[in-house]
Structures are given as C-alpha cells and as structure tokens.
C-alpha cells in the first residue's frame, strides 16, 4: 500500500484546485463523478487453477506461465507470463507476440450497470509494453481496446480503470452495460519486451455520482508544494447540493505511513470556503480525506467526499513539505553547475527548483512553434525573436534541448510529407526550425560551457517490434537524421554537443543496429531513457 500511495500523491500534488473550484461553482452540472468501486472480481490470476489461461504466441516466441508466483512487495500471488525471442534478430511483429486467453467464464460474472473494468498488471523489470484486451460476449461479439503502450516500472503494479466505451467492436460500436453482463471470454495480447509481465486481477467497477462534495486546495495552489518551514493552509469549498442532514464535515491529514498528522471537524455555515492550518511537524507527503457528517457527527457516506473528478485521485487531496528550501536548492545548483548528475524532464511550475534537481529538460513540439509556415525574411522566425527577447535564464539552470522530429503528429500540418516515409517532412523546413532553436538556446543559456542538443525522441518506437509511432524509420534513417542535425548544430554552436540516439528503453540489439548504420559518427554522447 505504501508504494501505491507514493505514486498517486506525486501526481496529486500537481492538482489544480482553483480550476476545480470554478467547476464546482458552475450550476450547469450539479453532479460529479465519485470514487471507483470494484464490485465484482472477474479474475484473480494468482488464485486461478493451472490451465485457466491458455497462452499462444508468434513463431519466434518461447513462452512460459508461472502461476501463483510470490513476488516481493506484492501481497497476493500473481500469474507471471514470460516471452523470449528464439531468434533475437528476428523482430517481425507478426512473429513476436504473445496472447493469454480465458474462455467459459461463469454466467453473470459481471453485474448489471457496471461502468467499466479494472486491470492490475505489472512488469518484472522496467520495460516498454504494448497490451491489447479483447472481451467476448455470449453472443460471440468482440470488443477491443489498447490498454497500454508505454513503459512500466520494475516490480510494481499498475492500475487501469477502463470505461466500457473504450472497448470497441469491429464496427466501432461501444460495449454497453447490457452486453458486458454477457462476458464469457477475455484475451490479452502483448508485445515481447525482454522480461516478464505480472497479472494480478481483473474486476468490474462502478463509479458513483456525487451530488455534493468538497473541493480541496492549499495555500500554494499552483503545485501544493511547500518549503521546509512554510505554513500549510488547506481549504475546502462545498460544491453541489448539500444533503439535508449534513450539518458539517470532518477531515484527516495522514502521512505516507498512514499516521494522523492532524484532524478536525467543522460546521457547515454556508461559507464558500473553509480554511485550516495543517502545518505538519515533519517534511513529507500528506494525504487529506474529508467526510460529510450529520448532527451526531456520523459520516453520511463511507467514502471521502473530496471531489474525485479531475487530476486528483479518488477522494484524496495531497500536499507535500519538502526537506529543503528554494534558497538552499539554488545555492546547491550554483555550486554543482553542469557537473550535477540529476535533472527534471519538463520544468513546469518550477518543480526542479522545489525538488532540488539541477538540469532542466524541456521542449516545444514543432507544431506549436510554427502552426503556419513562418516568415524568416528578418533572419529568425517571430517565435524565436520573441524567445530571445526574454533574456538569459539564470546561470544556475543548465539545460538539455531535445527534439521530437521523428514523431509524425509533432510535425505541423503544413510541413508533413504525403508519402508517409521517413523523415515525414522536408529537411529544409525542419532544419530552419532547428537552426532557430539553436540560436535561441545560445541566447538564453550563454553561461553553459557546452550546450546539449537532442536529435530524435524515443525513435525506437518508430521501428519494429513496437511501431507505435509514424513514420517508420530504419537505422539508416536515424543515422542520416543525426548527420544533418549535428552538422547544423556545429555550424551554429561550435562547442555544442549532440546526444543520441534516443530510445524509450535500453535495447541492446536496437543500439547495435543503429550503431552499425553509422550513427556514432554523428553523436557526441549516448542518450536513452
């Protein structure tokens, strides 16, 4: 439970209470979504009899199912499914898949009027997974959705709540509650990722609607983060139609270990907002729950009444008190400079300063910089001139400038090639944009001894076995892209370094292929995720 709490509070600290308060004040919809409730267990993999799930695979895949596996850190046994390539050099997608299927599920295993299904999976090691789920009804109809197309963390369970509408038939019809009741079979198709996939459970869920709720916020509404020593004020804003027997509410603040940091009760007086001091004694993450109560102080519902819609976890508000101050972090940044080891991908809301991470790593897709073909008659595009006018960044903020040229949807419509082949655009158009980005980087970060530039972004996903992005790239395409980018960078910024080839995960065979294609001639450092 501790690991789950850590994962959800890290996200919840970035919630937008001001926006949620505005939503709750709007009279258009007096009902919001409540917490997800698992109402029926469809399959507990670790408790299934041996043979309940049948595995099939492509010709180049060797599979093994290990039922009732015990894994450190997981409470219940799981089913472990491993798939390895017989020939590591053969990555043809039609030969490198694995599928688990269970038929003849019990009648009426799915209750009426469910809203969706929960899937709880995990990966033995960090890996990129592509997972598709197909549900089959008693009438033989099939409904499919792509459950995952991203990297999983190592050894931790990932929870998915998938609404019925996400499951689509071949004719694009959504799975209805009436048809979900007739569920008889489940098939899960996965890619081969060089490690094992953990299967914990599948459950049907309902999501209640809330006619009354409390919106949660803090005195640091932009990110709910506090420096050491900052006072912490939490706020509750009533929304919807308050139940007639609700006379007040109570709240609890708990730390990551579940210990109560503070609790209090309050009467509902008709105020638009209720504020409380919740400054904890120790730094750390804190979760907040609240419950509407009657005149006797009894809870009116078993679940927290904090709004579950939006960016917050169900019924939980969070904040964190960091162990250091911004001044202490910045002093460390100045001392470490470019020799620092850690950084943050995407420095929005000044999170890097709060978290004590020196390097910054952020970008803007080409489609956002140049929605139409820019006018460069003055030398630079207007967006580049505007960026340079902002002046240099503080000296303590070293930066890496990546690039997403290989992602087809990141290319503006006016610049896209029609043939669907790599690179997906005309190089003259792309390099004009890259040249402006280099000039902006030099103007805004003159303090860096050697500025760092990326070339492509997780380009292994433009290739087999994933092919999760378009257009398709070959190793030769990758080498050619880095050749063009590095020549431009060195012409504009002679001390600049180009890093790559950027992959989504460490894939030794993939790196060998692009190295053989000559990419090492055009990069100054290796980049991977």
């Amino acid at each position: 439970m501790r690991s789950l709490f850590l994962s959800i509070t890290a996200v919840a600290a970035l919630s937008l209470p001001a926006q949620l308060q505005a939503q709750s004040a709007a009279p258009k919809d007096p009902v919001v979504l409540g917490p997800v409730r698992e109402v029926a267990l469809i399959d507990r993999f670790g408790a299934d009899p041996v043979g309940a799930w049948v595995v099939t695979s492509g010709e180049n895949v060797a599979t093994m199912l290990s039922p009732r596996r015990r894994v450190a850190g997981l409470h219940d046994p799981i089913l472990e499914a491993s798939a390895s390539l017989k020939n590591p050099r053969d990555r043809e997608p039609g030969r490198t898949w694995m599928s688990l299927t269970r038929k003849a599920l019990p009648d009426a295993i799915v209750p009426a009027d469910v809203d969706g299904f929960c899937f709880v999976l995990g990966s033995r090691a960090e890996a990129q997974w592509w997972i598709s789920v197909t549900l089959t009804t008693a009438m033989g109809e099939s409904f499919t959705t792509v459950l995952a197309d991203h990297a999983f963390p190592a050894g931790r369970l990932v929870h998915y709540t998938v609404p019925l509408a996400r499951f689509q038939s071949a004719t694009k019809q959504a799975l209805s509650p009436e048809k979900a009741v007739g569920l008889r079979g489940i098939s899960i198709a996965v890619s081969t990722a060089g490690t094992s996939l953990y299967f914990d459970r599948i459950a049907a869920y309902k999501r209640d609607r809330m006619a009354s709720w409390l919106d949660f916020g803090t005195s640091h509404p932009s990110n709910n983060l506090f420096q050491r020593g900052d006072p912490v004020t939490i706020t509750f804003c009533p929304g919807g139609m308050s139940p007639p027997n609700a006379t007040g509410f109570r709240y609890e603040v708990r730390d990551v270990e579940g210990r109560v940091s503070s609790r209090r009760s309050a009467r509902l007086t008709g105020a638009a907002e209720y504020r409380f001091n919740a400054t904890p004694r120790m730094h750390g993450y804190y979760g907040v729950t609240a419950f509407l109560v009657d005149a006797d102080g009894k809870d009116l519902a078993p679940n927290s009444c904090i709004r579950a819609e939006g960016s917050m976890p169900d019924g939980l508000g969070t904040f964190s008190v960091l162990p250091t101050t911004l001044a202490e972090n910045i002093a460390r940044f100045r001392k470490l400079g470019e020799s620092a080891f850690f950084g943050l991908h995407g420095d929005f809301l000044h999170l890097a300063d709060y978290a004590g991470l020196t390097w910054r790593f952020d970008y803007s897709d080409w489609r956002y910089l140049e929605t139409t073909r820019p006018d460069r008659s003055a030398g630079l595009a207007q967006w580049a001139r505007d960026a340079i006018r902002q002046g240099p960044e503080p000296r303590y903020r070293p930066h890496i400038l990546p690039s997403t040229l290989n992602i087809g949807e990141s290319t503006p419509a006016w610049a896209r090639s029609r043939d669907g082949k790599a690179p997906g655009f005309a190089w003259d158009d792309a390099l004009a944009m890259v040249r402006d980005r280099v000039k902006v980087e030099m103007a805004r970060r003159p303090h860096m001894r050697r500025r760092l530039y990326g070339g492509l972004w997780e380009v292994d996903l433009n290739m087999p076995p994933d092919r999760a992005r378009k257009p398709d790239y070959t190793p030769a395409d990758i080498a050619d892209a880095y050749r063009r980018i590095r020549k431009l960078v060195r012409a504009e910024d002679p001390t600049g370094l180009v890093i790559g080839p950027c992959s989504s995960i460490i894939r030794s065979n993939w790196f060998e292929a692009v190295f053989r294609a000559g990419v090492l001639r055009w990069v100054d450092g290796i980049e991977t995720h």
Side-chain angles (χ1 to χ4, degrees), residues 82-133:
S82 61
S84 58
L85 297 181
K86 299 174 184 178
N87 177 6
R89 295 185 180 276
D90 180 2
R91 294 183 173 273
E92 172 57 40
R95 295 165 47 84
T96 56
W97 55 271
M98 176 179 67
S99 178
L100 278 75
T101 301
R102 182 171 182 180
K103 299 180 180 179
L105 288 167
D107 292 347
I109 194 171
V110 178
D113 299 324
V114 299
D115 292 313
F117 293 95
C118 297
F119 298 85
V120 184
L121 311 173
S123 182
R124 182 173 184 177
E126 182 178 353
Q128 178 85 19
W129 288 98
W130 181 89
I131 303 172
S132 173
V133 177

Side-chain angles (χ1 to χ4, degrees), residues 117-280:
F117 293 95
C118 297
F119 298 85
V120 184
L121 311 173
S123 182
R124 182 173 184 177
E126 182 178 353
Q128 178 85 19
W129 288 98
W130 181 89
I131 303 172
S132 173
V133 177
T134 298
L135 306 179
T136 304
T137 69
M139 300 300 293
E141 295 178 283
S142 295
F143 298 84
T144 301
T145 189
V146 174
L147 185 67
D149 184 10
H150 56 78
F152 278 44
R156 294 177 62 182
L157 295 179
V158 182
H159 294 235
Y160 296 91
T161 55
V162 186
L164 293 183
R166 280 267 306 276
F167 293 92
Q168 300 277 314
S169 69
T171 58
K172 303 300 182 183
Q173 297 297 311
L175 177 61
S176 66
E178 294 76 19
K179 292 184 177 182
V181 171
L183 179 66
R184 293 295 181 271
I186 303 174
S187 181
I188 305 173
V190 305
S191 59
T192 52
T195 187
S196 300
L197 192 62
Y198 294 157
F199 294 85
D200 179 73
R201 71 181 185 274
I202 303 173
Y205 75 81
K206 289 185 178 181
R207 191 161 196 185
D208 298 328
R209 273 59 177 171
M210 301 172 65
S212 59
W213 62 89
L214 295 175
D215 282 321
F216 170 80
T218 74
S219 47
H220 285 182
S222 65
N223 53 30
N224 293 351
L225 299 177
F226 295 82
Q227 305 176 66
R228 186 189 72 246
D230 282 345
V232 178
T233 300
I234 60 176
T235 61
F236 299 94
C237 300
M241 301 294 292
S242 180
N245 55 341
T247 62
F249 66 93
R250 67 178 183 89
Y251 74 83
E252 286 187 347
V253 180
R254 293 180 179 267
D255 66 16
V256 72
E257 302 289 347
R259 296 173 298 226
V260 175
S261 168
S262 63
R263 57 163 56 103
R264 188 170 173 180
S265 297
R267 292 190 61 81
L268 290 171
T269 62
E273 181 179 87
Y274 298 82
R275 292 175 174 266
F276 304 95
N277 176 26
T279 307

Side-chain angles (χ1 to χ4, degrees), residues 299-316:
D299 295 348
L300 297 182
N303 300 312
S304 171
C305 66
I306 291 178
R307 182 201 287 258
E309 245 181 343
S311 57
M312 290 187 181
D314 289 349
L316 183 70

Side-chain angles (χ1 to χ4, degrees), residues 211-461:
S212 59
W213 62 89
L214 295 175
D215 282 321
F216 170 80
T218 74
S219 47
H220 285 182
S222 65
N223 53 30
N224 293 351
L225 299 177
F226 295 82
Q227 305 176 66
R228 186 189 72 246
D230 282 345
V232 178
T233 300
I234 60 176
T235 61
F236 299 94
C237 300
M241 301 294 292
S242 180
N245 55 341
T247 62
F249 66 93
R250 67 178 183 89
Y251 74 83
E252 286 187 347
V253 180
R254 293 180 179 267
D255 66 16
V256 72
E257 302 289 347
R259 296 173 298 226
V260 175
S261 168
S262 63
R263 57 163 56 103
R264 188 170 173 180
S265 297
R267 292 190 61 81
L268 290 171
T269 62
E273 181 179 87
Y274 298 82
R275 292 175 174 266
F276 304 95
N277 176 26
T279 307
R281 295 181 179 180
M282 293 289 295
H283 60 79
Y285 281 101
Y286 292 87
V288 183
T289 54
F291 303 83
L292 293 171
V293 299
D294 61 19
D296 296 324
K298 293 182 179 180
D299 295 348
L300 297 182
N303 300 312
S304 171
C305 66
I306 291 178
R307 182 201 287 258
E309 245 181 343
S311 57
M312 290 187 181
D314 289 349
L316 183 70
T318 65
F319 65 89
S320 65
V321 178
L322 302 170
T324 55
T325 66
L326 290 173
E328 290 169 344
N329 289 340
I330 291 173
R332 189 183 307 111
F333 299 157
R334 295 185 187 280
K335 181 178 179 181
L336 294 174
E338 295 169 47
S339 64
F341 193 73
F342 294 104
L344 184 66
H345 179 185
D347 185 21
F348 54 94
L349 304 179
H350 303 294
L351 293 183
D353 287 349
Y354 276 96
L357 300 171
T358 308
W359 283 90
R360 318 298 155 113
F361 187 90
D362 62 307
Y363 52 82
S364 296
D365 283 354
W366 185 8
R367 58 178 167 170
Y368 299 128
L369 293 174
E370 300 180 352
T371 55
T372 59
R373 185 183 294 276
D375 175 11
R376 288 190 166 87
S377 59
L380 296 174
Q382 184 62 50
W383 63 264
R385 296 198 299 272
D386 292 342
I388 289 173
R389 276 196 288 269
Q390 295 178 37
E393 285 279 346
R395 293 183 59 85
Y396 64 81
R397 292 180 180 171
H399 184 249
I400 298 173
L401 179 66
S403 176
T404 59
L405 288 175
N406 58 293
I407 303 176
E409 59 266 29
S410 295
T411 303
W414 64 266
R416 294 175 190 170
S417 300
R418 295 183 179 181
D419 58 11
K421 298 179 181 179
F425 47 75
W427 272 111
D428 286 347
D429 292 331
L431 292 180
M433 182 273 298
V434 172
R435 181 178 291 107
D436 282 5
R437 296 219 68 184
V438 173
K439 291 182 178 296
V440 170
E441 195 74 359
M442 295 174 65
R444 301 214 64 202
R445 294 170 177 90
H447 54 278
M448 291 187 64
R449 296 190 302 273
R450 315 237 9 208
R451 283 168 286 274
L452 303 181
Y453 303 91
L456 306 177
W457 182 259
E458 296 183 350
V459 68
D460 59 314
L461 300 182

